[in-house]
Amino acid sequence: MFNSIQLNTSYTSQHHVHVGYEIGNKIAEYLSATFTLKKAVFIVDENVHRLYKDTFIKDISGLFDEPVFCLVPEGEQSKSLALFSEIIAKTLEAKVERITPVIVIGGGVTGDLGGYVAASALRGMPLIHIPTSLLAMVDSSVGGKTGVNHSVGKNLIGSFYEPKAVFTDIKFLETLPQKEIINGLGEVIKYGMIKDENILTTLKSLPLFEPFSYSKEWEQLIGTCARIKSDIVTKDFKESGLREILNFGHTFAHVIERVRGYENSSHGEAVYMGMWGAVKLSNLLGFNIDIANLSAFRTLYDSSFHPQESLEELTNLMLHDKKVKDGSIRVIILEELGKARATGITDLSLIRESWNYIIQEFE
Ligand code: ADP
Ligand code: ZN
């Protein structure tokens, strides 16, 4: 008789996400209390390193006798097996131990790559995330997805690996380029749509076109988003059900990114456009979602979408998305504002009509 074993895959990140402003001291306290301050591996975005090497990074790395630095050039091409292997080599050559912390400082690219290094070297070293882009703060640093790209496709290599702690210091946003703030806002708006409409209200009151400057509202907003994500992944670490709702707008967005080319496409903007399609689809299915919730942010995203592909071709491209089950297209729809669920669409004319809606809005 075969006895199955219940594996515990629960995820506890919610207790370890700290959000604040100028929290360097808090991070230092945590590191001193948690690790022997001998070695540490720092995997750092190159731009962030340039901007903070004499301040934040100096303070944190100065805690350790032998900090090892691995710099990650900006851009998606850094999420490669080649750079992964280079950083692994540097890490192992430094004779690190299983208890040596891997401290990752940067945006989503550095986080995914650095997280995968931490997950893999010595079969797992303690991972500390210090996200520096808005997207990483509200999305990619929470949830344990790590990995790199392969020439066959994006994010095809990697693992789920829980960080020991995430420290979000929103001071980093003061140097983040405006277009990267707007990129991250795509996910922020998404949380407002699927979970908490107060997010949309707060966003409308913030000076989004001015250079970032600290306010309590920003801090709360980012904390709320990180908490929503953390709550969802706590309940569903390996993406079996609930976690799917985080893909609201994304089934459309992945096609937009693909036909535009990943290099010329901002993820947040593609998600924003994709959410127009998802709202339209929800309404075609009989729900009543006010598009004003999205159009309020239309001026943030001024670029257009003129695909060569026909509505039919765009729809067919969704069939290649990994979110396809049983020949139907799996998408996230809203039953009401703040209430999302996954559904399989077999009547593809509804999807074509949703594409048409996106193209008309963003022509
Ligand atoms: P994302 O975080 O959106 O997934 P990246 O990791 O590629 O994407 O980061 C976006 C860009 O922002 C990169 O060019 C990166 O070097 C830069 N960057 C990240 N954080 C900061 C920061 N705090 N200040 C300035 N530039 C930053
Ligand atoms: Zn996304």
Side-chain angles (χ1 to χ4, degrees):
M1 185 57 191
F2 178 78
N3 286 316
S4 68
I5 302 165
Q6 188 70 45
L7 290 176
N8 183 3
T9 53
S10 72
Y11 182 77
T12 52
S13 77
Q14 63 184 348
H15 308 297
H16 305 290
V17 183
H18 308 269
V19 180
Y21 183 74
E22 292 192 319
I23 57 170
N25 286 342
K26 213 167 152 188
I27 302 174
E29 244 168 59
Y30 166 85
L31 292 172
S32 308
T34 313
F35 300 104
T36 53
L37 299 175
K38 244 179 103 214
K39 287 177 188 170
V41 179
F42 285 86
I43 302 178
V44 188
D45 175 284
E46 219 168 63
N47 288 328
V48 173
H49 184 262
R50 181 170 39 75
L51 291 162
Y52 295 93
K53 64 177 183 305
D54 299 322
T55 52
F56 180 88
I57 292 173
K58 190 174 169 197
D59 294 346
I60 299 292
S61 63
L63 295 168
F64 296 88
D65 297 337
E66 297 171 51
V68 178
F69 277 94
C70 307
L71 298 191
V72 179
E74 69 173 346
E76 189 70 26
Q77 74 285 351
S78 280
K79 270 174 66 174
S80 67
L81 277 175
L83 188 54
F84 169 76
S85 151
E86 222 175 89
I87 296 178
I88 289 273
K90 202 161 171 189
T91 301
L92 298 178
E93 280 158 12
K95 303 218 165 12
V96 294
E97 298 176 83
R98 268 237 176 103
I99 52 163
T100 306
V102 174
I103 300 169
V104 178
I105 309 175
V109 166
T110 307
D112 285 7
L113 171 70
Y116 192 41
V117 168
S120 311
L122 305 179
R123 293 207 185 86
M125 297 167 67
L127 168 64
I128 314 297
H129 269 310
I130 303 181
T132 63
S133 73
L134 181 59
L135 188 81
M137 290 176 183
V138 298
D139 185 14
S140 57
S141 71
V142 183
K145 282 190 181 177
T146 74
V148 296
N149 300 324
H150 188 274
S151 53
V152 170
K154 269 186 76 167
N155 292 326
L156 293 180
I157 302 169
S159 71
F160 287 93
Y161 190 67
E162 188 181 349
K164 253 187 125 48
V166 181
F167 287 99
T168 294
D169 191 336
I170 63 179
K171 186 169 175 63
F172 281 110
L173 298 180
E174 289 170 358
T175 55
L176 188 71
Q178 181 70 4
K179 76 171 185 16
E180 297 298 340
I181 299 264
I182 290 168
N183 184 26
L185 286 178
E187 305 287 352
V188 174
I189 296 168
K190 178 192 79 180
Y191 292 119
M193 299 296 285
I194 64 169
K195 210 70 203 177
D196 181 358
E197 58 181 294
N198 293 323
I199 290 174
L200 303 175
T201 315
T202 307
L203 259 187
K204 283 180 215 159
S205 74
L206 286 170
L208 300 178
F209 286 100
E210 284 162 33
F212 178 87
S213 88
Y214 173 82
S215 68
K216 202 75 205 152
E217 287 72 31
W218 266 113
E219 182 174 336
Q220 274 164 3
L221 187 74
I222 291 166
T224 301
C225 292
R227 205 164 316 110
I228 291 173
K229 171 124 191 213
S230 152
D231 282 350
I232 291 172
V233 300
T234 301
K235 294 185 190 129
D236 175 23
F237 189 44
K238 292 230 167 141
E239 202 158 43
S240 47
L242 179 66
R243 192 167 176 160
E244 267 190 298
I245 67 166
L246 294 168
N247 282 318
F248 181 65
H250 280 61
T251 317
F252 290 97
H254 290 151
V255 171
I256 295 169
E257 289 177 299
R258 223 171 107 181
V259 304
R260 280 179 147 183
Y262 290 102
E263 316 76 47
N264 344 323
S265 176
S266 132
H267 179 67
E269 182 174 76
V271 169
Y272 179 73
M273 291 179 179
M275 289 191 290
W276 281 74
V279 165
K280 176 69 178 176
L281 183 62
S282 307
N283 290 340
L284 288 171
L285 291 169
F287 299 104
N288 186 16
I289 311 300
D290 191 350
I291 197 67
N293 291 297
L294 285 178
S295 61
F297 305 101
R298 184 67 179 83
T299 47
L300 288 173
Y301 301 95
D302 57 359
S303 92
S304 54
F305 181 51
H306 292 292
Q308 305 287 306
E309 291 76 6
S310 65
L311 298 179
E312 188 120 44
E313 284 166 326
L314 292 168
T315 304
N316 285 338
L317 281 169
M318 284 166 109
L319 287 163
H320 300 299
D321 193 282
K322 58 181 184 271
K323 267 84 204 176
V324 177
K325 281 189 184 157
D326 317 324
S328 67
I329 296 180
R330 196 140 176 101
V331 283
I332 310 304
I333 54 155
L334 294 180
E335 294 178 338
E336 51 190 77
L337 193 61
K339 192 158 171 238
R341 76 171 164 85
T343 186
I345 305 287
T346 41
D347 180 359
L348 299 187
S349 73
L350 301 178
I351 305 269
R352 288 195 292 273
E353 204 174 320
S354 305
W355 274 117
N356 194 37
Y357 185 66
I358 296 178
I359 289 167
Q360 278 179 358
E361 176 61 29
F362 294 90
E363 70 164 347

